[in-house]
Amino acid sequence: SQQGEEDPQALSIQEGENATMNCSYKTSINNLQWYRQNSGRGLVHLILIRSNEREKHSGRLRVTLDTSKKSSSLLITASRAADTASYFCATANFGNEKLTFGTGTRLTIIP
Amino acid sequence: DAGITQSPRHKVTETGTPVTLRCHQTENHRYMYWYRQDPGHGLRLIHYSYGVKDTDKGEVSDGYSVSRSKTEDFLLTLESATSSQTSVYFCAISDRGDEQFFGPGTRLTVL
């Protein structure tokens, strides 16, 4: 069963605009991670946010975590064509080295 | 994909035949994982390893076995391949059991 569910399933925006993707999960977590997957490639780790953190930044990426609502959001600012990819959230439970992935958001940046 | 390779990258096989996929890492990471990725399901964990000869089942382990006799190699075996095992298989590694690094994937087709 999927722990994380991304929303929306697909998103198309103009280059330069900001993109926001959301992830909801069901049980308590130790950390939540976001990954990117370009077509035909393996996943690439973007950012990890721990359960005691509320916001984290990495370059043009901003991740928020609301444990009371069991949700996270990934914001990509000033989008570029190279940001076109699928984005997945993944959750890790306490004392567990396994990740549970959502089904992903397909982001398309229109030049 | 640096430091982690998968072989073969593509394979076509027939129903009922055994198939072994290999994951090789040069990072000396403790944890290794096998996932399958199917449309509409995201990534699902098949098996993972937390050390040499130490493995555990994931969400979709039926019909699969694994072995890890060396730190650098993690083998996934489909004991008797079925058409439902047609998928893209990803190996991942992790040093501390948090962020994971993925291989390039193996596309397996079972006819």
Side-chain angles (χ1 to χ4, degrees):
Chain A
S1 61
Q2 301 300 131
Q3 161 76 309
E5 295 291 337
E6 288 92 342
D7 171 62
Q9 290 187 339
L11 177 63
S12 292
I13 60 172
Q14 294 291 134
E15 192 168 16
E17 294 181 339
N18 296 340
T20 299
M21 288 158 271
N22 302 297
C23 172
S24 60
Y25 57 92
K26 298 172 184 172
T27 62
S28 296
I29 60 171
N30 179 23
N31 67 72
L32 184 145
Q33 303 176 35
W34 285 91
Y35 289 80
R36 183 188 73 233
Q37 183 180 34
N38 292 93
S39 182
R41 308 288 297 273
L43 278 72
V44 174
H45 182 265
L46 295 176
I47 197 164
L48 180 154
I49 186 165
R50 302 198 183 278
S51 59
N52 61 352
E53 298 174 309
R54 290 298 166 257
E55 187 170 313
K56 206 161 183 181
H57 296 255
S58 177
R60 294 184 296 113
L61 305 181
R62 172 179 170 255
V63 169
T64 61
L65 179 64
D66 187 334
T67 54
S68 67
K69 295 181 179 178
K70 292 186 170 60
S71 67
S72 173
S73 67
L74 170 67
L75 168 68
I76 303 174
T77 60
S79 63
R80 305 167 181 169
D83 294 328
T84 293
S86 292
Y87 292 82
F88 295 88
C89 69
T91 54
N93 298 328
F94 286 96
N96 198 330
E97 303 81 20
K98 297 185 289 187
L99 290 178
T100 304
F101 285 82
T103 52
T105 293
R106 178 181 281 292
L107 174 65
T108 301
I109 307 301
I110 304 165
Chain B
D1 298 349
I4 177 168
T5 57
Q6 294 184 229
S7 59
R9 294 292 312 281
H10 301 272
K11 186 171 182 65
V12 179
T13 191
E14 294 187 348
T15 298
T17 60
V19 175
T20 296
L21 308 182
R22 180 183 185 233
C23 177
H24 179 77
Q25 61 147 329
T26 58
E27 305 296 327
N28 201 35
H29 282 357
R30 176 184 177 187
Y31 299 93
M32 299 185 77
Y33 307 81
W34 277 108
Y35 294 90
R36 60 178 291 174
Q37 185 175 33
D38 306 287
H41 290 280
L43 267 77
R44 292 180 291 174
L45 182 66
I46 304 171
H47 283 280
Y48 76 107
S49 169
Y50 47 97
V52 174
K53 292 186 169 48
D54 292 323
T55 64
D56 202 356
K57 295 179 180 180
E59 180 186 354
V60 289
S61 59
D62 287 348
Y64 301 94
S65 62
V66 290
S67 66
R68 191 172 178 197
S69 59
K70 298 184 292 184
T71 299
E72 58 266 35
D73 289 325
F74 193 33
L75 304 180
L76 176 71
T77 297
L78 287 64
E79 293 137 12
S80 177
T82 67
S83 58
S84 65
Q85 293 175 312
T86 292
S87 186
V88 180
Y89 291 85
F90 287 99
C91 176
I93 62 175
S94 178
D95 186 23
R96 297 167 299 185
D98 42 30
E99 64 181 279
Q100 295 183 13
F101 301 92
F102 282 78
T106 294
R107 184 173 295 275
L108 176 68
T109 302
V110 183
L111 301 176

